[in-house]
């Protein structure tokens, strides 16, 4: 997904982009970051900072502290997602693999469909 987002601003190799002018402060030219809106830029920064977490978790176990901070982070992400979707978004929308859907109870299926499935 990150690659797809970055591909949206990818510049063909034949295009020449002039080097940014020198400025006094380190953040003088942020044109590359402005290609995304602030929300996506922030999410990309979170992604960049969290990809090392599995290795760090193996080196320094602290499950209770981890759980407290992770819940806070996930809560912020879920609240942002809810606002993005006008309150319709759920945590399932954000999971890599959605949770399995429970089959409908037999009484919610039309009678002719039930008979067909019994025959199978």
């Amino acid at each position: 997904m990150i690659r797809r987002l970055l591909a949206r601003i990818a510049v063909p190799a034949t295009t020449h982009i002039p080097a940014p002018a020198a400025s006094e402060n380190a953040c003088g030219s942020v044109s590359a970051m402005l290609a995304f809106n602030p929300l996506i830029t922030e999410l990309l920064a979170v992604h960049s900072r969290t990809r090392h977490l599995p290795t760090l978790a193996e080196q320094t176990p602290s499950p209770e502290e981890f759980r407290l901070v992770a819940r806070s982070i996930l809560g912020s992400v879920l609240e942002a997602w809810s606002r993005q979707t006008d309150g319709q978004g759920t945590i399932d929308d954000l999971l890599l693999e959605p949770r399995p859907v429970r089959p409908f109870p037999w009484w919610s299926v039309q009678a002719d469909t039930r008979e067909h499935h019994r025959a199978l």
Side-chain angles (χ1 to χ4, degrees), residues 57-75:
E58 289 176 350
Q59 296 170 355
T60 55
S62 51
E64 291 304 315
E65 294 87 353
F66 183 95
R67 182 179 303 155
L68 287 173
V69 177
R71 282 182 177 168
S72 177
I73 293 167
L74 293 174

Side-chain angles (χ1 to χ4, degrees), residues 16-85:
H16 173 70
I17 299 176
S23 65
E24 291 182 17
N25 66 24
C27 297
S29 176
V30 292
S31 60
M33 287 180 57
L34 293 178
F36 294 117
N37 65 49
L39 175 65
I40 301 303
T41 302
E42 198 67 24
L43 284 171
L44 289 171
V46 170
H47 170 70
S48 175
R49 295 294 300 171
T50 58
R51 60 188 166 155
H52 304 293
L53 287 178
T55 304
L56 292 172
E58 289 176 350
Q59 296 170 355
T60 55
S62 51
E64 291 304 315
E65 294 87 353
F66 183 95
R67 182 179 303 155
L68 287 173
V69 177
R71 282 182 177 168
S72 177
I73 293 167
L74 293 174
S76 296
V77 170
L78 185 56
E79 181 181 352
W81 177 242
S82 178
R83 291 181 184 193
Q84 275 285 294
T85 59

